[in-house]
Amino acid sequence: MLKAYVACFGADAVYVLDPVMADLLGPPVATGKGPLGLDILPNGHRLYVANILGNSVSVLDTRTDTVIASIDLTASAYPAAAPSTVVASPSGLAVYVLCGGDEPQVAIVDPLENTVVGSITLPPGTIPRDMALHSGALWVTDSVNGEIVVCNIEAQVSLEETIPAPKVGAIAGCPACSFLLFTAPTSIGLLDVTRRSVARDVITATTAPEMLVLDPEGRTVYLTDSGAESVQAYDVRTRTRLFSIGVEKHPEGIDLARGGRLVVVTGPSDDTVSLIDTLCRMELEQVKVGAAPRRVRILSTLS
């Protein structure tokens, strides 16, 4: 059974739903204050939720959908604040938490002990927006300074070199491709992770892209466009639009399942989640959840 975990920013909770049957699975799971970014370990057993207003990370057991740990980032050996994005390593041996505040950094969590065991300090003045893991590095976007910061995971340092990317926003990739895609105010850009070079305005048909996700092969990118109030899909190779489907006001978070056949989108303005069939190219259902759903992550299998 598929599960969609929805971080409801205004409800201080994660809502769990069956995206196929369009049903909520039990009561909301209380987290820290202001849940935002979330990610799932590769084995599917743990969900990590960044509580940006509570300066903490909630850990959920996905088999019981209960909170089993709460990590206070301010009280760790590597104090941090304002966590916004969570990325689990492919090995499942580390969870990376992007933190802002006065000392921007990436906190490193040991998922076996659920404690902070290290930190990667970001350059002074960095205002982190989003983060992706690819090719053994973390790629942190800074929309205010217009750059992408590269972090060496093994050495636990951020490199002195940054990649210029004016007004860069959300960033995403997939293991099958050698690039990352990122949002700009009215377009999608491409970052070549090997050459560490940026091609701006790769896709220009968007109005105000918010978040994006690629299919497992890296052939199609799906994104939420808050300006057009739609979910859009583009062929990455030809850079052409495949479809645009109208959804709730100001869609934000997005994730996919079944190889891109099913897309789940959050609508923080009207407290709903939209379920979209990309083969039929239509919205199947809207599910009412808690206040201000901002992000979503889909669990496909448990191992």
Side-chain angles (χ1 to χ4, degrees):
M1 181 181 70
L2 296 177
K3 285 184 179 182
Y5 291 88
V6 182
C8 292
F9 189 84
D12 296 337
V14 167
Y15 281 64
V16 188
L17 64 92
D18 180 341
V20 176
M21 303 303 294
D23 290 330
L24 291 174
L25 300 173
V29 183
T31 61
K33 191 170 180 59
L36 190 57
L38 64 175
D39 203 7
I40 300 170
L41 290 183
N43 64 12
H45 293 169
R46 297 286 186 270
L47 172 76
Y48 287 76
V49 184
N51 305 306
I52 190 169
L53 300 181
N55 299 324
S56 66
V57 175
S58 298
V59 186
L60 277 67
D61 185 327
T62 58
R63 292 164 293 190
T64 60
D65 291 334
T66 56
V67 174
I68 59 171
S70 180
I71 305 169
D72 184 350
L73 295 175
T74 63
S76 73
Y78 305 86
S84 59
T85 303
V86 180
V87 176
S89 69
S91 66
L93 298 178
V95 174
Y96 301 99
V97 184
L98 181 62
C99 300
D102 295 333
E103 298 180 358
Q105 61 188 283
V106 177
I108 304 172
V109 173
D110 178 353
L112 296 178
E113 300 294 335
N114 287 323
T115 56
V116 179
V117 295
S119 175
I120 301 174
T121 301
L122 298 176
T126 299
I127 303 176
R129 165 69 166 79
D130 198 12
M131 175 176 69
L133 193 160
H134 199 293
S135 303
L138 291 167
W139 309 78
V140 178
T141 64
D142 180 342
S143 56
V144 175
N145 295 304
E147 61 188 18
I148 298 173
V149 180
V150 187
C151 300
N152 185 310
I153 292 176
E154 186 175 357
Q156 295 188 12
V157 296
S158 61
L159 305 184
E160 293 183 2
E161 175 190 6
T162 60
I163 303 170
K167 298 181 179 179
V168 61
I171 190 167
C174 71
C177 53
S178 60
F179 58 84
L180 295 167
L181 295 180
F182 59 87
T183 63
T186 59
S187 65
I188 302 297
L190 184 146
L191 167 63
D192 186 321
V193 298
T194 302
R195 299 178 180 179
R196 294 186 179 177
S197 61
V198 164
R200 287 181 287 174
D201 301 336
V202 172
I203 296 170
T204 58
T206 61
T207 303
E210 290 289 339
M211 307 297 295
L212 70 172
V213 62
L214 282 90
D215 71 354
E217 290 77 34
R219 297 175 181 173
T220 306
V221 58
Y222 303 85
L223 60 91
T224 50
D225 189 324
S226 62
E229 297 182 350
S230 65
V231 173
Q232 301 167 14
Y234 293 85
D235 184 303
V236 175
R237 184 180 62 84
T238 64
R239 306 181 182 183
T240 56
R241 181 187 286 181
L242 300 175
F243 63 79
S244 177
I245 300 171
V247 291
E248 65 282 328
K249 293 181 179 179
H250 309 302
E252 186 173 339
I254 185 170
D255 201 9
L256 55 85
R258 296 182 172 177
R261 169 69 186 270
L262 175 66
V263 172
V264 180
V265 175
T266 64
S269 294
D270 54 8
D271 306 335
T272 61
V273 171
S274 290
L275 309 176
I276 295 171
D277 186 322
T278 60
L279 187 61
C280 298
R281 299 186 177 183
M282 62 179 293
E283 184 181 49
L284 300 175
E285 194 82 49
Q286 284 191 3
V287 180
K288 198 75 173 178
V289 292
R294 298 280 306 274
R295 299 287 189 273
V296 59
R297 187 67 72 231
I298 297 177
L299 173 61
S300 298
T301 58
L302 284 170
S303 62

